[in-house]
């Protein structure tokens, strides 16, 4: 099976009360970990690539071909989507789609509302002709978002959510409701009541960015409040770094990078499997 769009995955998840994991990938090892974890747990999965990671890979086409070659080599049978995470411009979203990405996020949330609508609509018009799904954002997620770092997230407005969906025909929406990118400083506080209200008024799947570090109870509550996609990044980095740091501390003589990178990769895969079980998408590939 080739890459699939995110729409069917999320519509099914929303209806059946679970969520699909979006795992940001940065290199070969992360792609291997995500694909293996999803296949072993028979789960649909989304590989997210930020623009920063596109630079690291060496271009949109390199990222797409790496994912597809590994899917073929590993005989992956579960649904896999390749998604541009936080696309900052119409041009970058188009480049991702032209390279074969099956889903994009246009993040025009920093623009005034009217411009967010206009920019998002332009991406949707291009995407839907290609069968590509589009995610948009409203408000501002805490932590590092693009070049902006903020400790005070700006919550999404319900009326703007309704209007954005009606005017652009997006497939999913990431309303900022208190979650943050990167490790949380203190207790994560997410407005689940507002999440449910937004979900009920727009009737499309919601996306929660910054799902690393949320408590299992909060994950459950988010799913019951209309979230069908969780974006995970920080927890995978923390797992990799912890394992490699420990290994190098204990084995001063170790010098072959392949040995400790392999161990780090296993830690990432274990973390992803834990998240897939937590999100409830285990066994939902068919
Ligand atoms: Zn994000």
């Amino acid at each position: 099976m080739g890459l699939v769009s995110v729409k069917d995955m999320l519509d099914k998840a929303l209806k059946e009360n679970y969520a699909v994991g979006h795992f940001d990938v940065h290199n070969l090892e992360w792609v291997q970990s995500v694909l293996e974890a999803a296949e072993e747990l028979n789960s649909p999965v989304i590989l997210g690539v930020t623009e920063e990671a596109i630079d690291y890979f060496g271009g949109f086409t390199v990222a797409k071909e790496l994912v597809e070659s590994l899917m073929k080599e590993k005989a992956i049978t579960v649904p896999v989507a390749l998604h541009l995470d936080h696309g900052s411009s119409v041009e970058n979203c188009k480049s991702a789609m032209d390279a074969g990405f099956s889903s994009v996020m246009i993040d025009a949330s920093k623009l005034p509302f009217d411009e967010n609508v206009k920019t998002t609509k332009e991406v949707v018009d291009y995407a839907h002709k290609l069968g590509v799904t589009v995610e948009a954002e409203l408000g501002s997620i805490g932590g590092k978002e693009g070049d902006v770092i903020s400790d005070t997230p700006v919550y999404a407005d319900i009326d703007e959510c309704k209007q954005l969906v009606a005017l652009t025909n997006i497939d999913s929406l990431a309303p900022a409701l208190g979650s943050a990118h990167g490790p949380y400083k203190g207790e994560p506080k997410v407005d689940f009541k507002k999440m449910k209200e937004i979900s009920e008024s727009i009737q499309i799947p919601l996306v929660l960015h910054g799902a690393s570090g949320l408590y299992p109870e909060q994950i459950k509550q988010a799913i019951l409040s209309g979230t069908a996609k969780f974006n995970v990044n920080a927890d995978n980095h923390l797992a990799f770094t912890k394992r490699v740091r420990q290994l190098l501390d204990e084995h001063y003589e170790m010098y072959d990078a392949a040995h400790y990178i392999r161990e780090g990769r296993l830690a990432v895969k274990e973390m992803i499997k834990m998240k897939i079980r937590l999100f409830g998408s285990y066994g939902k590939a068919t």
Side-chain angles (χ1 to χ4, degrees):
M1 199 198 296
L3 294 167
V4 299
S5 90
V6 168
K7 188 171 169 50
D8 291 345
M9 277 185 200
L10 297 195
D11 287 351
K12 182 171 183 281
L14 185 65
K15 215 165 74 190
E16 297 180 18
N17 274 320
Y18 63 89
V20 181
H22 155 140
F23 302 98
D24 279 297
V25 295
H26 313 273
N27 49 38
L28 168 74
E29 290 76 18
W30 253 244
V31 176
Q32 290 171 324
S33 302
V34 178
L35 292 179
E36 286 173 14
E39 185 69 22
E40 285 173 27
L41 293 183
N42 196 32
S43 169
V45 79
I46 301 160
L47 284 83
V49 191
T50 60
E51 290 173 355
E52 218 176 331
I54 291 294
D55 280 344
Y56 191 95
F57 276 117
F60 288 102
T61 311
V62 179
K64 185 256 182 182
E65 288 188 355
L66 173 66
V67 171
E68 281 198 333
S69 326
L70 279 171
M71 284 171 69
K72 206 171 156 197
E73 205 60 46
K74 291 179 181 297
I76 299 296
T77 59
V78 298
V80 176
L82 181 61
H83 172 86
L84 174 66
D85 193 15
H86 291 283
S88 65
S89 65
V90 175
E91 292 68 36
N92 284 351
C93 289
K94 284 183 178 173
S95 298
M97 293 186 254
D98 292 344
F101 279 51
S102 59
S103 178
V104 295
M105 173 189 191
I106 173 69
D107 183 357
S109 60
K110 306 289 171 295
L111 299 176
F113 181 70
D114 289 350
E115 285 177 52
N116 187 348
V117 170
K118 190 172 162 276
T119 308
T120 302
K121 177 87 168 64
E122 206 180 327
V123 173
V124 172
D125 288 346
Y126 193 85
H128 283 183
K129 280 186 203 131
L130 299 169
V132 170
T133 35
V134 180
E135 173 184 331
E137 179 180 322
L138 275 171
S140 121
I141 292 154
K144 185 176 183 293
E145 190 165 36
D147 297 331
V148 185
I149 297 174
S150 155
D151 280 338
T152 45
V154 178
Y155 287 55
D157 174 86
I158 297 184
D159 284 333
E160 286 190 352
C161 291
K162 280 195 225 170
Q163 281 188 57
L164 182 71
V165 173
L167 295 169
T168 64
N169 200 21
I170 47 170
D171 302 287
S172 62
L173 176 68
L177 293 168
S179 63
H181 291 127
Y184 280 87
K185 296 184 192 91
E187 301 276 303
K189 288 193 188 72
V190 180
D191 190 342
F192 294 109
K193 192 170 162 272
K194 200 168 179 188
M195 188 183 286
K196 201 166 171 49
E197 280 172 36
I198 292 173
S199 169
E200 281 166 359
S201 64
I202 65 173
Q203 301 280 325
I204 62 169
L206 299 183
V207 179
L208 194 156
H209 287 239
S212 293
L214 290 191
Y215 305 121
E217 201 42 53
Q218 292 178 306
I219 294 291
K220 268 187 212 152
Q221 220 177 334
I223 293 171
L224 292 173
S225 309
T227 294
K229 172 175 177 274
F230 288 109
N231 287 21
V232 175
N233 187 26
D235 277 349
N236 291 331
H237 286 290
L238 291 166
F240 182 93
T241 306
K242 187 179 170 197
R243 179 78 59 94
V244 171
R245 183 175 284 141
Q246 192 183 354
L247 205 61
L248 293 178
D249 278 349
E250 286 170 4
H251 301 276
Y252 192 76
E253 75 291 352
M254 191 175 263
Y255 76 96
D256 185 334
H259 287 166
Y260 57 82
I261 290 174
R262 184 178 289 122
E263 282 301 311
R265 186 178 70 186
L266 282 174
V268 174
K269 182 174 157 184
E270 284 158 21
M271 177 58 73
I272 293 169
K273 287 177 89 167
M274 194 270 273
K275 297 291 179 189
I276 287 175
R277 288 195 179 96
L278 182 62
F279 301 159
S281 68
Y282 171 82
K284 299 285 188 182
T286 42

